[in-house]
Amino acid sequence: MQQMIQDALVAWVDAAGLALLAIIAGLLVYKALVYLIGRFAQSASVGRIFFDAAARAIGVSLALIALSSVLHTVPEELPWLAQIRHGTTLLLIIALTWTAVGFTSAIGDVIVKLNPAYENEWKRARKVETQTRFLVRCLNIVIVLVGTGAALMTFDSVRQIGTSLLASAGIGGIILGFAARPVLSNLLAGMQIALTQPFRIDDAMFVQGEWCWVEEVTATYVVLRVWDLRRLVVPLQWFIENPFQNWSRNTADQIGSTLIWADYGIPIEPLREEFYRLLEEASEWDGSTGTVQVVEAGEKAIQIRFLMSAKNSTTLWNLRCSIREDMIAFIQQRFPQYLPRYRGQLEEPQEPTGQASVLP
């Protein structure tokens, strides 16, 4: 056994030297590419983005391609040659899949870079980014599946199993369809969302009672950033089957209100004047909407609505809180007697009207 191993090593001396030289040559070509691209390509150029996204994968692929070329020129009688060739082919498939995934991700980065979110084009830029990110992820999934299938097909046993399974492909497809229904439904829902655009990256939304923003759209779920920095992860299929509020679908402008209860005797006109004065001084107000209305009249008090508008939901929230605080302070200072209160009515006891009968 030991003698056989020694003979095999002796037989592989020349081939191993050639293989080592091939790997070194492949790595030198990679280093030359790195130098040339770093020297002549700008850091923000399209070519540089593609190369940086798959640089390591390209280096590994070049070395494996050179090694595979040498292995196909060595004598066929070398021991373990078939196993080494198979391992090299397997690694090369993995490296090429890695490279393809890197290039695909770079496509998304380039498209997003070419469509920056300028002030007047933010809506279009977010639409392009949402569609691009989703399609890139779907394409990466397809590339990984193809690469995995190609790697498995290099094994003879897997090819034989695949041939035998063709006879039962119909039943297997039905079973697989039922098993993968949640995944497939989310993938189809994601394609529908990417094409119809009910929401985009950074859209302000109200989902399941939470005020949040779209942070990430994957192939199967959406990550929503809640106002208090929690993350809400929702399957894509949920957005197809349930209604939700998009607060920045076409424009981010919003109208909101602040409600204050007061006594029936409070004068409305001074409140209206003070409200308009506060709006004029508020930097959050966009100058579009400002109204004071009595919207409710209950048994003990009236409800006054202060309606206002702002450029987005966050600014509107801050404006509403500021107006509420200032209006309450104004009522406390000018009309404290008209704050909500409970009324009571005292009645004097009445004397009995009838005469008590006297028994004889």
Side-chain angles (χ1 to χ4, degrees), residues 2-13:
Q2 185 178 1
Q3 184 63 34
M4 184 174 64
I5 295 176
Q6 291 178 354
D7 295 340
L9 293 177
V10 171
W12 267 99
V13 169

Side-chain angles (χ1 to χ4, degrees), residues 19-323:
L20 182 60
L21 290 176
I23 293 174
I24 294 175
L27 293 178
L28 289 176
V29 172
Y30 167 68
K31 291 295 184 180
L33 285 175
V34 172
Y35 173 77
L36 292 175
I37 293 177
R39 180 70 181 274
F40 299 104
Q42 298 180 356
S43 59
S45 63
V46 174
R48 183 67 177 273
I49 294 176
F50 272 91
F51 184 78
D52 291 344
R56 294 182 179 180
I58 292 174
V60 175
S61 299
L62 290 174
L64 289 173
I65 289 173
L67 177 60
S68 180
S69 301
V70 169
L71 291 178
H72 282 81
T73 61
V74 299
E76 296 291 337
E77 62 271 10
L78 288 176
W80 310 319
L81 179 60
Q83 291 82 356
I84 294 176
R85 284 178 177 175
H86 179 261
T88 303
T89 302
L90 193 62
L91 292 176
L92 181 58
I93 292 174
I94 296 174
L96 291 176
T97 304
W98 182 14
T99 304
V101 169
F103 282 149
T104 305
S105 301
I107 293 175
D109 295 335
V110 169
I111 294 176
V112 172
K113 181 178 177 59
L114 295 177
N115 294 272
Y118 294 125
E119 182 177 356
N120 297 328
E121 298 182 358
W122 60 268
K123 178 182 174 182
R124 173 179 168 275
R126 283 161 49 184
K127 176 181 179 180
V128 171
E129 181 180 1
T130 303
Q131 291 178 332
T132 301
R133 296 300 185 193
F134 176 78
L135 295 177
V136 164
R137 286 188 177 92
C138 291
L139 188 56
N140 282 340
I141 292 174
V142 173
I143 291 173
V144 171
L145 291 177
V146 172
T148 303
L152 292 176
M153 291 301 291
T154 60
F155 296 93
D156 294 333
S157 58
V158 174
R159 285 201 298 267
Q160 294 174 0
I161 293 174
T163 303
S164 62
L165 286 177
L166 289 177
S168 57
I171 299 176
I174 295 174
I175 297 174
L176 182 62
F178 277 105
R181 186 177 62 84
V183 177
L184 294 176
S185 63
N186 280 316
L187 287 175
L188 294 176
M191 294 181 64
Q192 182 177 348
I193 288 173
L195 295 175
T196 59
Q197 290 290 298
F199 58 82
R200 300 172 296 267
I201 299 294
D202 287 335
D203 268 355
M205 301 175 63
F206 192 76
V207 178
Q208 295 184 351
E210 299 286 358
W211 176 20
C212 50
W213 290 265
V214 180
E215 184 176 67
E216 183 182 0
V217 181
T218 69
T220 55
Y221 60 87
V222 178
V223 180
L224 303 174
R225 185 181 73 256
V226 188
W227 65 273
D228 57 1
L229 300 184
R230 290 178 293 130
R231 297 303 189 271
L232 184 65
V233 180
V234 183
L236 287 171
Q237 186 64 26
W238 186 90
F239 290 97
I240 303 298
E241 298 175 350
N242 298 277
F244 57 91
Q245 298 180 28
N246 189 337
W247 291 354
S248 55
R249 177 68 176 88
N250 295 317
T251 62
D253 301 341
Q254 281 199 349
I255 297 176
S257 63
T258 291
L259 302 175
I260 295 179
W261 288 93
D263 190 80
Y264 270 90
I266 190 169
I268 303 300
E269 194 59 33
L271 299 183
R272 185 174 286 112
E273 294 176 358
E274 177 66 12
F275 174 66
Y276 291 152
R277 186 189 69 80
L278 293 174
L279 284 183
E280 293 293 340
E281 296 179 354
S283 60
E284 298 89 351
W285 187 49
D286 62 359
S288 175
T289 302
T291 306
V292 178
Q293 298 171 320
V294 177
V295 295
E296 186 69 37
E299 296 180 356
K300 299 179 178 64
I302 59 174
Q303 189 180 59
I304 307 171
R305 184 179 70 176
F306 301 90
L307 198 65
M308 65 209 81
S309 60
K311 62 181 180 180
N312 56 54
S313 57
T314 303
T315 305
L316 179 63
W317 173 262
N318 294 331
L319 178 62
R320 290 170 58 195
C321 293
S322 176
I323 293 296

Side-chain angles (χ1 to χ4, degrees), residues 319-337:
L319 178 62
R320 290 170 58 195
C321 293
S322 176
I323 293 296
R324 183 184 295 111
E325 294 174 4
D326 292 338
M327 292 306 301
I328 291 176
F330 177 76
I331 295 174
Q332 289 174 340
Q333 294 172 6
R334 293 284 302 275
F335 308 105
Q337 68 276 22

